Amino acid sequence: MVGAGAVGSSVAELAGEYGHTVTALADSQSAAVDPDGIDVQAALDRKSAEGVVGGGDVTDALDGSYDVLVEATPTTLGDAQPGFGHVETALERDRHVVLANKGPVAERYGDLRDLERASAGTVRFEATVGGAIPVLSTVEDFGPSHITAARGVLNGTANFILSRMAAEGLGYEHVLAEAQDLGVAEADPSFDVEGTDAALKCVILANVLAEDREYTLADATVEGISDLPGSALELANEDGRTIRLIGEVVDGEVRVGPRLVPEHAALAVTGTRNIVQLETTNAGQLNVSGRGAGGPETATAVLADVDRLPE
């Protein structure tokens, strides 16, 4: 387990409940490693008290004994390091990889698949799109060739802000401050409110759906919500509509931006909920909705992927 933030810590805490043993837990500065299984709570307590999880480092964890690497370090753009390097090390050792980190899948998808093809290991990444929502496994079950389009609300922070602006008639800055006080928004919310997070998730969807090309964030058209005036939501409400930050993969294009949607439509989810609509060739429209973020919620997607891996 590399990454000891909200998701990584939750995976480590819940692993035993799913029948798994954590043989290593690493953060950016340290690692706790034991081939027979670490004391997860002791490692997390040490992280809280001392800022480190153990006396080793990430190299010790990656070189240790494990069947599956769970990579949950923060998402980075461009070369997607250091997460991509962790994945590369594991696959070169013929180990399986489960990603919660969006960077390697969104920015270096071709490289990731090349490494997987050269390895006895398998890569899975359900947790990179929609938290607890089984978006990618639904696509996998139907078959990417039977999905003609995907769209949805894929960022809980932006959706919370838009929901509150619409419901209370409040301005963006006021609601953002409230979201930060509640822990729904980061101190620097730009990744969420400028649409980058939703765009990365859409890029990952596009990569899974595509047959003949690779997408990165540079291929997405992205517009955020920070400049959206409260009056726009008031005008939408007068017409029985609301505004949501919608990401979509349609006709080979990836787009993210504020969109008008009917007030009671499926896409008008409120609060921090996420939803993804999949257009299928034979089953019509599928709506998959639920908690799109959070440590335990995203950890369930990671652990479901672990259980899907081949023996």
Side-chain angles (χ1 to χ4, degrees), residues 3-301:
V7 174
S9 296
S10 294
V11 172
E13 289 178 316
L14 294 174
E17 184 178 323
Y18 286 73
H20 306 299
T21 300
V22 180
T23 58
L25 174 63
D27 59 18
S28 60
Q29 303 179 72
S30 65
V33 183
D34 187 334
D36 296 321
I38 67 166
D39 184 332
V40 171
Q41 193 56 56
L44 295 177
D45 288 345
R46 184 171 178 181
K47 175 73 172 176
S48 178
E50 303 175 27
V52 296
V53 294
D57 60 31
V58 68
T59 302
D60 299 322
L62 291 169
D63 290 343
S65 174
Y66 59 93
D67 301 305
V68 185
L69 168 70
V70 175
E71 219 296 334
T73 61
T75 294
T76 55
L77 306 181
D79 64 4
Q81 296 289 10
F84 186 85
H86 300 157
V87 173
E88 184 175 27
T89 297
L91 289 173
E92 287 177 347
R93 294 188 64 199
D94 292 323
R95 303 297 193 260
H96 299 306
V97 174
V98 172
L99 282 148
N101 179 352
K102 292 181 282 292
V105 199
E107 294 285 67
R108 300 185 64 177
Y109 188 72
D111 293 338
L112 184 69
R113 288 308 196 193
D114 286 344
L115 286 171
E116 183 184 35
R117 281 189 285 271
S119 173
T122 298
V123 178
R124 299 196 66 91
F125 43 91
E126 178 69 75
T128 62
V129 180
I133 310 172
V135 178
L136 298 180
S137 56
T138 300
V139 171
E140 182 180 36
D141 288 344
F142 268 77
S145 64
H146 295 291
I147 307 294
T148 58
R151 65 179 55 82
V153 174
L154 285 163
N155 184 269
T157 298
N159 205 57
F160 175 89
I161 291 170
L162 291 173
S163 298
R164 290 286 292 153
M165 288 175 67
E168 304 297 333
L170 300 170
Y172 169 80
E173 294 294 343
H174 181 98
V175 178
L176 173 60
E178 178 186 22
Q180 289 170 324
D181 288 343
L182 293 171
V184 174
E186 301 287 345
D188 178 3
S190 56
F191 205 66
D192 298 310
V193 300
E194 297 303 333
T196 306
D197 177 68
L200 288 170
K201 294 168 183 175
C202 287
V203 165
I204 292 169
L205 266 171
N207 278 326
V208 171
L209 295 174
E211 297 180 353
D212 56 358
R213 65 169 292 186
E214 176 186 350
Y215 293 82
T216 69
L217 185 61
D219 298 305
T221 302
V222 187
E223 180 185 357
I225 65 168
S226 58
D227 295 327
L228 189 71
S231 58
L233 286 130
E234 293 172 8
L235 289 170
N237 184 58
E238 292 173 5
D239 196 32
R241 295 187 289 179
T242 189
I243 297 175
R244 292 291 180 265
L245 184 67
I246 304 295
E248 54 187 351
V249 182
V250 182
D251 297 330
E253 295 187 4
V254 178
R255 300 185 291 266
V256 175
R259 303 285 186 267
L260 283 166
V261 299
E263 187 177 8
H264 299 296
L267 286 175
V269 289
T270 58
T272 58
R273 289 183 70 82
N274 283 192
I275 184 171
V276 174
Q277 292 182 335
L278 300 173
E279 302 288 348
T280 74
T281 54
N282 300 307
Q285 185 182 91
L286 300 178
N287 293 331
V288 191
S289 181
R291 296 181 178 181
E297 293 86 351
T298 305
T300 64

